[in-house]
Amino acid sequence: MVESILVPVDGSETMERTVSFACDIVKMVGGSVTLLHVVALPIPAEQSAYINLTPMEKWGEKILQTAEDIVKGKGCKADRILKTDMQNAGHTIVRVAREGGFTLIIIHARGHSRISTLIPLGSVCHTVAHRSPCPVMIVRP
Amino acid sequence: MMIQKALVPVDGSSHMSGLVAKAIDFAKKTGCTLTFLYVVNMPPTATASEVEKQKAACIRIPEECMEKAASQGVSAVFSTVEVGPPGDTIINVAEGGKYDLIIIGSKGHSSLKTLLVGNVADKVMEHSPCPVLLSK
């Protein structure tokens, strides 16, 4: 069995560790890496029409590019997905995993949160771990 | 980061066989060792002899997992029984034994069918010293 691995990336400090860990897993078990960045806006969907999303999506592309460079540096290849959503990034990650038929999600325990030292598991990781249709590998910071 | 040692907490519940199969599959692909851990959870009022009795009664649970893994071609498998609160004990064993990965099932004995992830898995995910593979 070959794993189809989804790696959500957010540009935080732990991203490099997570992405290179995913490459190590692929080298050991075989399979493919897909990098996902979610531009998540914590606002009601109807308000999103008034917001210019282009800079955020550009920023997302930049994060994906950084992540892809790490993958290339490890001698692997990766696909890229950019999603923009008006809900919790965790739910979007779960939906992408379900629709894309992924067999494993590799995610870091916490990302950008400012109170990161207080909470052991970030909200996005928590949502993904609880709701994911497939196994989840959690990389510690 | 290579994975050489994986810790697999097992609880004898109906969800266990799927977890064991996944762990065996993972070990065969990566070449890591597997340690099946059973945690005896006793009330603090239990006497030493009661604990020993319970330990002896449960020792076959991780041993059977170990035998299954060995029969399916995993070269290095171990089994162990510890006493204590499950979440904390799993984390302590992972820390003390310098494990590279914990492979844990998302559900265990809990009768709350609606719980998406069991409380032991939740605790392990939150406090583990190493990466955690949450099997579904």
Side-chain angles (χ1 to χ4, degrees), chain B residues 29-73:
Chain B
K29 281 194 258 183
T30 62
C32 69
T33 69
L34 290 181
T35 302
F36 292 100
L37 165 69
Y38 184 86
V39 181
V40 176
N41 188 17
M42 295 289 279
T45 50
T47 61
S49 69
E50 281 172 335
V51 171
E52 281 312 310
K53 225 185 202 171
Q54 187 65 16
K55 243 178 127 172
C58 295
I59 201 154
R60 285 301 297 158
I61 295 171
E63 274 180 5
E64 274 166 17
C65 299
M66 180 179 77
E67 283 157 14
K68 193 172 171 194
S71 73
Q72 291 190 24

Side-chain angles (χ1 to χ4, degrees), chain B residues 10-22:
Chain B
V10 290
D11 63 355
S13 72
S14 57
H15 301 285
M16 194 180 79
S17 59
L19 170 70
V20 173
K22 275 227 175 80

Side-chain angles (χ1 to χ4, degrees), chain A residues 1-138:
Chain A
M1 198 181 84
V2 169
E3 300 286 353
S4 169
I5 304 174
L6 184 65
V7 186
V9 292
D10 62 355
S12 66
E13 284 167 21
T14 35
M15 183 177 90
E16 180 169 359
R17 224 171 106 82
T18 309
V19 172
S20 49
F21 184 72
C23 295
D24 290 341
I25 295 287
V26 161
K27 281 182 194 166
M28 282 191 280
V29 305
S32 62
V33 173
T34 302
L35 302 163
L36 167 68
H37 179 75
V38 182
V39 176
L41 299 171
I43 54 165
E46 57 271 23
Q47 285 177 20
S48 66
Y50 303 102
I51 288 179
N52 179 12
L53 290 169
T54 320
M56 297 178 80
E57 284 170 356
K58 268 198 181 138
W59 181 244
E61 284 293 351
K62 213 171 151 187
I63 290 171
L64 283 170
Q65 188 58 51
T66 313
E68 197 179 342
D69 290 343
I70 299 167
V71 173
K72 280 185 183 152
K74 296 281 279 183
C76 299
K77 275 200 294 193
D79 290 330
R80 287 157 56 155
I81 301 175
L82 182 76
K83 287 265 176 197
T84 304
D85 232 306
M86 301 309 136
Q87 53 174 328
N88 181 317
H91 289 290
T92 310
I93 292 167
V94 170
R95 210 180 59 236
V96 170
R98 186 175 293 123
E99 286 167 2
F102 287 92
T103 57
L104 179 66
I105 299 175
I106 300 184
I107 189 167
H108 35 266
R110 49 179 142 83
H112 280 306
S113 171
R114 288 281 155 225
I115 49 166
S116 57
T117 46
L118 294 178
I119 43 170
L121 207 63
S123 64
V124 174
C125 178
H126 189 270
T127 306
V128 171
H130 280 247
R131 307 253 170 196
S132 162
C134 62
V136 180
M137 197 178 263
I138 297 157

